[in-house]
Amino acid sequence: MIFDEAPALRLSWIRALLVPVDPSRPAGVLILPPTAVGLSDAIGGGLLDDAVYATVNELGYCVYLDEERNAHGLPENRRAVALAARLGWSSLAGQIDLRGDVLVVGISLDGNDTDVP
């Protein structure tokens, strides 16, 4: 019976882009459960700050960060800043401080987390 349930559980997982602040760790796509715990674990276990929802070329996305990144003195994530600029995420400019590990997911039309565009 476990085998019957496993494929259904995997279908609900999402692909998210993790951009670590540590330049020695590679950025890459992770497969995560779309839960607060799953997303939080991906960025190091901090409380999630998911205040930035936007679209680029009609594809929705959300940027997750540690809510207490400034209080914890996390360093600026230069790779995430460069990615945001390169992809034309002008909606991020001046809205958030890209510090610590950054996780990017897609947003469905009904506002749920989905695969990164």
Side-chain angles (χ1 to χ4, degrees):
M1 188 166 206
I2 291 174
F3 296 111
D4 292 340
E5 293 175 0
L9 290 174
R10 269 183 270 153
L11 291 176
S12 66
W13 289 39
I14 62 170
R15 289 174 183 85
L17 175 65
L18 177 66
V19 183
V21 68
D22 180 353
S24 69
R25 290 178 46 213
V29 175
L30 304 176
I31 299 176
L32 305 169
T35 63
V37 171
L39 300 172
S40 174
D41 285 349
I43 62 165
L47 295 174
L48 293 175
D49 182 1
D50 61 348
V52 179
Y53 295 92
T55 59
V56 172
N57 298 327
E58 300 182 24
L59 297 173
Y61 65 91
C62 178
V63 176
Y64 285 105
L65 300 146
D66 184 325
E67 184 176 65
E68 298 177 350
R69 61 194 173 276
N70 289 321
H72 291 150
L74 297 178
E76 179 182 50
N77 189 324
R78 293 182 182 188
R79 294 188 296 175
V81 170
L83 177 66
R86 178 111 185 204
L87 294 177
W89 294 351
S90 58
S91 59
L92 290 178
Q95 285 190 28
I96 59 172
D97 199 7
L98 294 172
R99 295 182 170 281
D101 291 347
V102 172
L103 189 69
V104 182
V105 300
I107 297 294
S108 65
L109 293 175
D110 56 2
N112 292 315
D113 293 328
T114 188
D115 290 338
V116 66

mmCIF file of all heavy atoms in Angstrom, residues 76-109:
data_model
loop_
_atom_site.group_PDB
_atom_site.id
_atom_site.type_symbol
_atom_site.label_atom_id
_atom_site.label_comp_id
_atom_site.label_asym_id
_atom_site.label_seq_id
_atom_site.Cartn_x
_atom_site.Cartn_y
_atom_site.Cartn_z
ATOM 1 N N GLU A 76 24.454 39.674 2.189
ATOM 2 C CA GLU A 76 23.741 39.868 0.935
ATOM 3 C C GLU A 76 24.010 38.675 0.013
ATOM 4 O O GLU A 76 25.134 38.195 -0.098
ATOM 5 C CB GLU A 76 24.206 41.150 0.253
ATOM 6 C CG GLU A 76 23.519 41.396 -1.079
ATOM 7 C CD GLU A 76 24.032 42.640 -1.770
ATOM 8 O OE1 GLU A 76 25.271 42.787 -1.900
ATOM 9 O OE2 GLU A 76 23.201 43.453 -2.174
ATOM 10 N N ASN A 77 22.970 38.220 -0.656
ATOM 11 C CA ASN A 77 23.105 37.120 -1.606
ATOM 12 C C ASN A 77 23.353 37.740 -2.991
ATOM 13 O O ASN A 77 22.416 38.065 -3.717
ATOM 14 C CB ASN A 77 21.855 36.248 -1.601
ATOM 15 C CG ASN A 77 22.024 34.986 -2.405
ATOM 16 O OD1 ASN A 77 22.685 34.985 -3.432
ATOM 17 N ND2 ASN A 77 21.415 33.906 -1.936
ATOM 18 N N ARG A 78 24.621 37.911 -3.316
ATOM 19 C CA ARG A 78 24.978 38.595 -4.566
ATOM 20 C C ARG A 78 24.525 37.829 -5.796
ATOM 21 O O ARG A 78 24.195 38.427 -6.820
ATOM 22 C CB ARG A 78 26.481 38.837 -4.603
ATOM 23 C CG ARG A 78 26.910 39.832 -3.553
ATOM 24 C CD ARG A 78 28.362 40.115 -3.595
ATOM 25 N NE ARG A 78 28.685 41.045 -2.505
ATOM 26 C CZ ARG A 78 29.837 41.598 -2.354
ATOM 27 N NH1 ARG A 78 30.817 41.328 -3.180
ATOM 28 N NH2 ARG A 78 30.052 42.411 -1.354
ATOM 29 N N ARG A 79 24.520 36.506 -5.710
ATOM 30 C CA ARG A 79 24.046 35.726 -6.858
ATOM 31 C C ARG A 79 22.552 35.927 -7.083
ATOM 32 O O ARG A 79 22.100 36.035 -8.217
ATOM 33 C CB ARG A 79 24.359 34.238 -6.679
ATOM 34 C CG ARG A 79 25.855 33.973 -6.699
ATOM 35 C CD ARG A 79 26.180 32.504 -6.717
ATOM 36 N NE ARG A 79 25.726 31.836 -5.495
ATOM 37 C CZ ARG A 79 25.802 30.534 -5.308
ATOM 38 N NH1 ARG A 79 26.279 29.743 -6.241
ATOM 39 N NH2 ARG A 79 25.411 30.000 -4.174
ATOM 40 N N ALA A 80 21.777 36.023 -6.003
ATOM 41 C CA ALA A 80 20.339 36.268 -6.138
ATOM 42 C C ALA A 80 20.081 37.667 -6.683
ATOM 43 O O ALA A 80 19.183 37.859 -7.514
ATOM 44 C CB ALA A 80 19.643 36.075 -4.802
ATOM 45 N N VAL A 81 20.872 38.644 -6.251
ATOM 46 C CA VAL A 81 20.749 40.009 -6.768
ATOM 47 C C VAL A 81 21.048 40.015 -8.269
ATOM 48 O O VAL A 81 20.322 40.621 -9.055
ATOM 49 C CB VAL A 81 21.687 40.974 -6.010
ATOM 50 C CG1 VAL A 81 21.751 42.328 -6.695
ATOM 51 C CG2 VAL A 81 21.235 41.115 -4.559
ATOM 52 N N ALA A 82 22.119 39.326 -8.677
ATOM 53 C CA ALA A 82 22.483 39.254 -10.097
ATOM 54 C C ALA A 82 21.405 38.535 -10.897
ATOM 55 O O ALA A 82 21.065 38.953 -12.011
ATOM 56 C CB ALA A 82 23.832 38.557 -10.261
ATOM 57 N N LEU A 83 20.854 37.454 -10.337
ATOM 58 C CA LEU A 83 19.785 36.719 -11.023
ATOM 59 C C LEU A 83 18.562 37.605 -11.205
ATOM 60 O O LEU A 83 17.979 37.658 -12.294
ATOM 61 C CB LEU A 83 19.424 35.465 -10.230
ATOM 62 C CG LEU A 83 18.269 34.642 -10.781
ATOM 63 C CD1 LEU A 83 18.637 34.038 -12.136
ATOM 64 C CD2 LEU A 83 17.875 33.552 -9.796
ATOM 65 N N ALA A 84 18.178 38.316 -10.162
ATOM 66 C CA ALA A 84 17.016 39.201 -10.243
ATOM 67 C C ALA A 84 17.218 40.258 -11.333
ATOM 68 O O ALA A 84 16.316 40.523 -12.125
ATOM 69 C CB ALA A 84 16.765 39.855 -8.894
ATOM 70 N N ALA A 85 18.398 40.841 -11.389
ATOM 71 C CA ALA A 85 18.686 41.861 -12.403
ATOM 72 C C ALA A 85 18.690 41.257 -13.799
ATOM 73 O O ALA A 85 18.120 41.823 -14.738
ATOM 74 C CB ALA A 85 20.022 42.526 -12.107
ATOM 75 N N ARG A 86 19.320 40.107 -13.930
ATOM 76 C CA ARG A 86 19.435 39.468 -15.250
ATOM 77 C C ARG A 86 18.078 39.048 -15.811
ATOM 78 O O ARG A 86 17.837 39.122 -17.012
ATOM 79 C CB ARG A 86 20.358 38.257 -15.132
ATOM 80 C CG ARG A 86 20.526 37.474 -16.385
ATOM 81 C CD ARG A 86 21.889 37.623 -16.900
ATOM 82 N NE ARG A 86 22.024 36.972 -18.181
ATOM 83 C CZ ARG A 86 23.141 36.552 -18.636
ATOM 84 N NH1 ARG A 86 24.231 36.693 -17.932
ATOM 85 N NH2 ARG A 86 23.209 36.012 -19.813
ATOM 86 N N LEU A 87 17.188 38.599 -14.922
ATOM 87 C CA LEU A 87 15.867 38.163 -15.362
ATOM 88 C C LEU A 87 14.862 39.302 -15.445
ATOM 89 O O LEU A 87 13.712 39.095 -15.803
ATOM 90 C CB LEU A 87 15.340 37.064 -14.430
ATOM 91 C CG LEU A 87 16.123 35.758 -14.472
ATOM 92 C CD1 LEU A 87 15.569 34.778 -13.455
ATOM 93 C CD2 LEU A 87 16.092 35.142 -15.869
ATOM 94 N N GLY A 88 15.298 40.503 -15.111
ATOM 95 C CA GLY A 88 14.408 41.655 -15.225
ATOM 96 C C GLY A 88 13.342 41.701 -14.154
ATOM 97 O O GLY A 88 12.243 42.192 -14.391
ATOM 98 N N TRP A 89 13.662 41.191 -12.971
ATOM 99 C CA TRP A 89 12.693 41.212 -11.889
ATOM 100 C C TRP A 89 12.653 42.607 -11.284
ATOM 101 O O TRP A 89 13.006 42.822 -10.142
ATOM 102 C CB TRP A 89 13.037 40.188 -10.830
ATOM 103 C CG TRP A 89 12.952 38.768 -11.265
ATOM 104 C CD1 TRP A 89 12.451 38.294 -12.443
ATOM 105 C CD2 TRP A 89 13.387 37.619 -10.543
ATOM 106 N NE1 TRP A 89 12.550 36.923 -12.483
ATOM 107 C CE2 TRP A 89 13.115 36.488 -11.333
ATOM 108 C CE3 TRP A 89 13.974 37.443 -9.297
ATOM 109 C CZ2 TRP A 89 13.413 35.194 -10.915
ATOM 110 C CZ3 TRP A 89 14.277 36.168 -8.879
ATOM 111 C CH2 TRP A 89 13.986 35.058 -9.676
ATOM 112 N N SER A 90 12.210 43.558 -12.075
ATOM 113 C CA SER A 90 12.194 44.946 -11.612
ATOM 114 C C SER A 90 11.279 45.111 -10.406
ATOM 115 O O SER A 90 11.451 46.039 -9.613
ATOM 116 C CB SER A 90 11.767 45.880 -12.738
ATOM 117 O OG SER A 90 10.488 45.513 -13.213
ATOM 118 N N SER A 91 10.317 44.216 -10.241
ATOM 119 C CA SER A 91 9.413 44.320 -9.101
ATOM 120 C C SER A 91 10.130 44.065 -7.783
ATOM 121 O O SER A 91 9.631 44.424 -6.719
ATOM 122 C CB SER A 91 8.256 43.340 -9.252
ATOM 123 O OG SER A 91 8.759 42.020 -9.339
ATOM 124 N N LEU A 92 11.317 43.450 -7.823
ATOM 125 C CA LEU A 92 12.078 43.204 -6.601
ATOM 126 C C LEU A 92 12.875 44.427 -6.165
ATOM 127 O O LEU A 92 13.217 44.551 -4.999
ATOM 128 C CB LEU A 92 13.062 42.048 -6.796
ATOM 129 C CG LEU A 92 12.487 40.657 -6.928
ATOM 130 C CD1 LEU A 92 13.601 39.655 -7.160
ATOM 131 C CD2 LEU A 92 11.701 40.287 -5.694
ATOM 132 N N ALA A 93 13.163 45.307 -7.087
ATOM 133 C CA ALA A 93 14.021 46.455 -6.787
ATOM 134 C C ALA A 93 13.418 47.303 -5.672
ATOM 135 O O ALA A 93 12.300 47.778 -5.769
ATOM 136 C CB ALA A 93 14.223 47.293 -8.040
ATOM 137 N N GLY A 94 14.169 47.433 -4.606
ATOM 138 C CA GLY A 94 13.736 48.265 -3.495
ATOM 139 C C GLY A 94 12.684 47.650 -2.593
ATOM 140 O O GLY A 94 12.308 48.247 -1.602
ATOM 141 N N GLN A 95 12.187 46.454 -2.924
ATOM 142 C CA GLN A 95 11.142 45.837 -2.110
ATOM 143 C C GLN A 95 11.700 44.931 -1.032
ATOM 144 O O GLN A 95 11.166 44.886 0.063
ATOM 145 C CB GLN A 95 10.189 45.010 -2.978
ATOM 146 C CG GLN A 95 9.242 45.819 -3.788
ATOM 147 C CD GLN A 95 8.192 44.924 -4.420
ATOM 148 O OE1 GLN A 95 7.852 43.876 -3.894
ATOM 149 N NE2 GLN A 95 7.689 45.333 -5.551
ATOM 150 N N ILE A 96 12.723 44.183 -1.354
ATOM 151 C CA ILE A 96 13.252 43.228 -0.388
ATOM 152 C C ILE A 96 14.763 43.280 -0.366
ATOM 153 O O ILE A 96 15.397 43.729 -1.307
ATOM 154 C CB ILE A 96 12.798 41.779 -0.679
ATOM 155 C CG1 ILE A 96 13.252 41.329 -2.068
ATOM 156 C CG2 ILE A 96 11.318 41.624 -0.513
ATOM 157 C CD1 ILE A 96 13.013 39.870 -2.334
ATOM 158 N N ASP A 97 15.287 42.826 0.734
ATOM 159 C CA ASP A 97 16.721 42.754 0.931
ATOM 160 C C ASP A 97 17.123 41.294 0.717
ATOM 161 O O ASP A 97 16.786 40.444 1.549
ATOM 162 C CB ASP A 97 17.037 43.219 2.352
ATOM 163 C CG ASP A 97 18.471 43.623 2.534
ATOM 164 O OD1 ASP A 97 19.205 43.680 1.535
ATOM 165 O OD2 ASP A 97 18.856 43.881 3.683
ATOM 166 N N LEU A 98 17.772 40.994 -0.388
ATOM 167 C CA LEU A 98 18.134 39.610 -0.720
ATOM 168 C C LEU A 98 19.348 39.191 0.105
ATOM 169 O O LEU A 98 20.487 39.318 -0.322
ATOM 170 C CB LEU A 98 18.402 39.473 -2.225
ATOM 171 C CG LEU A 98 17.188 39.686 -3.120
ATOM 172 C CD1 LEU A 98 17.594 39.726 -4.576
ATOM 173 C CD2 LEU A 98 16.143 38.610 -2.880
ATOM 174 N N ARG A 99 19.084 38.695 1.301
ATOM 175 C CA ARG A 99 20.122 38.250 2.231
ATOM 176 C C ARG A 99 19.880 36.789 2.580
ATOM 177 O O ARG A 99 18.753 36.349 2.684
ATOM 178 C CB ARG A 99 20.099 39.071 3.510
ATOM 179 C CG ARG A 99 20.436 40.517 3.285
ATOM 180 C CD ARG A 99 20.463 41.300 4.593
ATOM 181 N NE ARG A 99 21.022 42.611 4.361
ATOM 182 C CZ ARG A 99 22.320 42.869 4.249
ATOM 183 N NH1 ARG A 99 23.199 41.908 4.381
ATOM 184 N NH2 ARG A 99 22.749 44.080 4.023
ATOM 185 N N GLY A 100 20.974 36.059 2.769
ATOM 186 C CA GLY A 100 20.855 34.647 3.102
ATOM 187 C C GLY A 100 20.448 33.828 1.886
ATOM 188 O O GLY A 100 20.456 34.304 0.753
ATOM 189 N N ASP A 101 20.113 32.572 2.133
ATOM 190 C CA ASP A 101 19.676 31.704 1.042
ATOM 191 C C ASP A 101 18.340 32.188 0.515
ATOM 192 O O ASP A 101 17.475 32.646 1.273
ATOM 193 C CB ASP A 101 19.545 30.256 1.528
ATOM 194 C CG ASP A 101 20.890 29.620 1.852
ATOM 195 O OD1 ASP A 101 21.940 30.190 1.478
ATOM 196 O OD2 ASP A 101 20.890 28.549 2.488
ATOM 197 N N VAL A 102 18.165 32.089 -0.801
ATOM 198 C CA VAL A 102 16.960 32.547 -1.469
ATOM 199 C C VAL A 102 16.332 31.365 -2.186
ATOM 200 O O VAL A 102 17.016 30.608 -2.868
ATOM 201 C CB VAL A 102 17.300 33.669 -2.485
ATOM 202 C CG1 VAL A 102 16.099 34.032 -3.326
ATOM 203 C CG2 VAL A 102 17.845 34.889 -1.758
ATOM 204 N N LEU A 103 15.010 31.228 -2.028
ATOM 205 C CA LEU A 103 14.267 30.154 -2.677
ATOM 206 C C LEU A 103 13.208 30.782 -3.569
ATOM 207 O O LEU A 103 12.456 31.653 -3.121
ATOM 208 C CB LEU A 103 13.606 29.261 -1.617
ATOM 209 C CG LEU A 103 12.975 27.980 -2.110
ATOM 210 C CD1 LEU A 103 14.052 26.996 -2.594
ATOM 211 C CD2 LEU A 103 12.135 27.341 -1.009
ATOM 212 N N VAL A 104 13.154 30.355 -4.826
ATOM 213 C CA VAL A 104 12.190 30.894 -5.781
ATOM 214 C C VAL A 104 11.270 29.764 -6.212
ATOM 215 O O VAL A 104 11.735 28.694 -6.623
ATOM 216 C CB VAL A 104 12.893 31.493 -7.021
ATOM 217 C CG1 VAL A 104 11.871 32.093 -7.977
ATOM 218 C CG2 VAL A 104 13.935 32.524 -6.605
ATOM 219 N N VAL A 105 9.970 30.007 -6.108
ATOM 220 C CA VAL A 105 8.966 29.047 -6.564
ATOM 221 C C VAL A 105 8.033 29.758 -7.530
ATOM 222 O O VAL A 105 7.990 30.983 -7.590
ATOM 223 C CB VAL A 105 8.156 28.450 -5.388
ATOM 224 C CG1 VAL A 105 9.062 27.721 -4.409
ATOM 225 C CG2 VAL A 105 7.321 29.497 -4.683
ATOM 226 N N GLY A 106 7.271 28.984 -8.265
ATOM 227 C CA GLY A 106 6.230 29.540 -9.110
ATOM 228 C C GLY A 106 4.958 29.739 -8.306
ATOM 229 O O GLY A 106 4.813 29.197 -7.210
ATOM 230 N N ILE A 107 4.056 30.531 -8.841
ATOM 231 C CA ILE A 107 2.752 30.766 -8.220
ATOM 232 C C ILE A 107 1.680 30.447 -9.254
ATOM 233 O O ILE A 107 1.713 30.977 -10.370
ATOM 234 C CB ILE A 107 2.615 32.233 -7.751
ATOM 235 C CG1 ILE A 107 3.644 32.560 -6.686
ATOM 236 C CG2 ILE A 107 1.210 32.516 -7.246
ATOM 237 C CD1 ILE A 107 3.462 31.811 -5.388
ATOM 238 N N SER A 108 0.739 29.589 -8.881
ATOM 239 C CA SER A 108 -0.356 29.234 -9.784
ATOM 240 C C SER A 108 -1.375 30.371 -9.844
ATOM 241 O O SER A 108 -1.315 31.320 -9.053
ATOM 242 C CB SER A 108 -1.034 27.942 -9.310
ATOM 243 O OG SER A 108 -1.660 28.161 -8.063
ATOM 244 N N LEU A 109 -2.311 30.272 -10.758
ATOM 245 C CA LEU A 109 -3.332 31.311 -10.902
ATOM 246 C C LEU A 109 -4.178 31.472 -9.642
ATOM 247 O O LEU A 109 -4.680 32.553 -9.360
ATOM 248 C CB LEU A 109 -4.244 30.994 -12.086
ATOM 249 C CG LEU A 109 -3.572 31.065 -13.461
ATOM 250 C CD1 LEU A 109 -4.544 30.620 -14.548
ATOM 251 C CD2 LEU A 109 -3.064 32.471 -13.735
#
